[in-house]
């Protein structure tokens, strides 16, 4: 429930194309106002061709505290930042931009949110082998977060072989763990995460080949609608612990609030 909305209200935009599907505005507005902060999160439908115009307009808005970024603007929006976090710089993408006295500060919290969701459910990363399918915006962020948060070995699979090869080289350059090319085969893995759109439709096939499904496998998905994809339902039927897209969404929201509240205070 909105407590504050007046001339002193601070603004937090969330931009995307489309934007009607986002769940963040209400939750972020409530979280900020529950902390006694007079602020509101407002969705803005911005086409890619208008992104430059949007950011120019934002620069003159004196009651703007942040811009939260969703598909398809996460990569191009990084170029409008004056400062990037190390993970954003590595990924070349942002999902939040904070307005500070020194300019626009960008960060990418999707991957860290997923890792925190895994850990909250009881999944231990240290010494484990993980398979990640899909290296788009969310997938790349999760790959980076797994690599930098203790995973023993990471295998990645993407239909775009060039993107897969480049990401493997870049992740290995961090010197954190061994990163290799994967397939859809689950044999030998402790964790398997789907970061592709496969599963959004009822007619979609499973993102992994399940012939070698092992007991104790942790199954993950980034899709938020449906909450449980066919992959997650299958994994649950085999006794797996699961982490769904909504788990990531909730953790990312918490991280967003933590990132923003220092400015709002």
């Amino acid at each position: 429930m909105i407590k504050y909305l007046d001339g002193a209200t601070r603004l937090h935009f969330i931009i995307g194309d489309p934007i009607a599907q986002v769940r963040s505005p209400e939750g972020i507005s409530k979280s900020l106002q529950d902390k006694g902060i007079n602020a509101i999160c407002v969705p803005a439908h911005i086409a890619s061709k208008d992104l430059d115009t949007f950011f120019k307009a934002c620069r003159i808005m004196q009651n703007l505290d942040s811009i939260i970024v969703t598909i398809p603007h996460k990569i191009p929006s990084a170029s409008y930042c004056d400062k990037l976090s190390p993970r954003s710089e590595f990924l070349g993408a942002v999902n939040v931009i904070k307005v500070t006295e020194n300019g626009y500060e960008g960060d990418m919290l999707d991957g860290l949110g997923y890792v925190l969701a895994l850990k909250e459910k009881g999944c231990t990363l240290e010494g484990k082998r993980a398979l990640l399918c899909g290296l788009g915006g969310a997938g790349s962020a999760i790959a980076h977060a797994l690599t930098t948060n203790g995973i023993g070995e990471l295998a990645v699979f993407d239909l775009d072989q060039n993107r897969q090869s480049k990401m493997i080289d870049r992740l290995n350059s961090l010197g954190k763990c061994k990163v290799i090319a994967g397939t859809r085969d689950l044999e030998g893995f402790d964790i398997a995460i789907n970061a592709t759109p496969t599963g959004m439709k009822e007619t979609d096939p499973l993102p992994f080949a399940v012939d070698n499904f092992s007991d104790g496998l942790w199954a993950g998905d980034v899709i938020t609608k449906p909450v449980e994809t066919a992959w997650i339902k299958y994994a649950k039927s085999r006794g797996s612990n699961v982490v769904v897209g909504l788990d990531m969404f909730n953790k990312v929201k918490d991280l967003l609030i933590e990132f923003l509240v220092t400015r709002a205070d």
Side-chain angles (χ1 to χ4, degrees):
M1 183 176 180
I2 299 300
K3 301 176 183 177
Y4 313 107
L5 184 57
D6 52 35
T9 300
R10 306 296 299 181
L11 296 181
H12 299 263
F13 282 126
I14 178 166
I15 63 170
D17 183 18
I19 197 65
Q21 80 285 355
V22 297
R23 304 183 182 191
S24 303
E26 182 179 12
I28 291 174
S29 297
K30 184 179 185 301
S31 294
L32 289 169
Q33 297 206 7
D34 284 349
K35 293 179 179 291
I37 300 166
N38 186 353
I40 191 168
C41 181
V42 181
H45 189 172
I46 307 296
S48 294
K49 65 181 179 63
D50 298 320
L51 200 59
D52 190 61
T53 301
F54 171 78
F55 274 100
K56 285 178 180 177
C58 285
R59 290 280 183 176
I60 63 172
M61 295 184 65
Q62 297 185 41
N63 64 336
L64 177 66
D65 279 347
S66 81
I67 303 163
I68 299 163
V69 186
T70 187
I71 294 172
H73 303 317
K74 293 182 180 183
I75 292 176
S77 291
S79 66
Y80 294 96
C81 294
D82 302 295
K83 178 183 178 181
L84 293 172
S85 70
R87 57 180 157 246
S88 275
E89 196 164 6
F90 179 89
L91 295 165
V94 296
N95 74 330
V96 61
I97 301 169
K98 180 167 58 176
V99 181
T100 74
E101 293 180 355
N102 299 315
Y104 282 18
E105 180 181 341
D107 205 345
M108 183 63 171
L109 303 172
D110 289 347
L112 179 58
Y114 207 96
V115 164
L116 290 176
L118 279 165
K119 291 183 176 180
E120 186 176 80
K121 290 289 187 77
C123 180
T124 301
L125 301 183
E126 288 73 14
K128 299 295 179 61
R129 299 185 71 233
L131 172 62
L132 175 70
C133 186
L135 289 171
S140 295
I142 293 170
H144 178 265
L146 288 170
T147 301
T148 56
N149 281 274
I151 201 71
E153 180 177 293
L154 175 64
V156 296
F157 173 78
D158 193 277
L159 291 175
D160 185 333
Q161 293 295 298
N162 184 52
R163 177 163 64 179
Q164 174 181 296
S165 179
K166 286 182 177 180
M167 181 56 69
I168 290 171
D169 290 343
R170 296 189 68 221
L171 291 171
N172 277 320
S173 73
L174 297 174
K176 299 291 186 179
C177 72
K178 183 179 180 181
V179 184
I180 62 174
T183 67
R184 298 184 188 274
D185 190 347
L186 296 172
E187 186 174 10
F189 291 102
D190 307 293
I191 304 165
I193 301 170
N194 173 46
T196 76
T198 302
M200 295 180 71
K201 300 177 182 178
E202 290 186 6
T203 55
D204 284 347
L206 295 180
F208 299 103
V210 295
D211 294 342
N212 293 311
F213 195 99
S214 59
D215 293 338
L217 179 76
W218 279 82
D221 212 317
V222 302
I223 293 170
T224 58
K225 189 175 182 181
V227 173
E228 291 190 353
T229 60
W231 158 239
I232 292 297
K233 289 178 178 177
Y234 176 84
K236 287 179 71 174
S237 75
R238 296 289 301 268
S240 283
N241 291 302
V242 302
V243 175
V244 300
L246 194 57
D247 296 322
M248 178 183 75
F249 169 85
N250 288 330
K251 280 299 176 185
V252 171
K253 186 193 75 171
D254 292 343
L255 290 170
L256 282 170
I257 296 301
E258 182 180 345
F259 182 71
L260 299 176
V261 75
T262 53
R263 168 64 179 175
D265 284 344

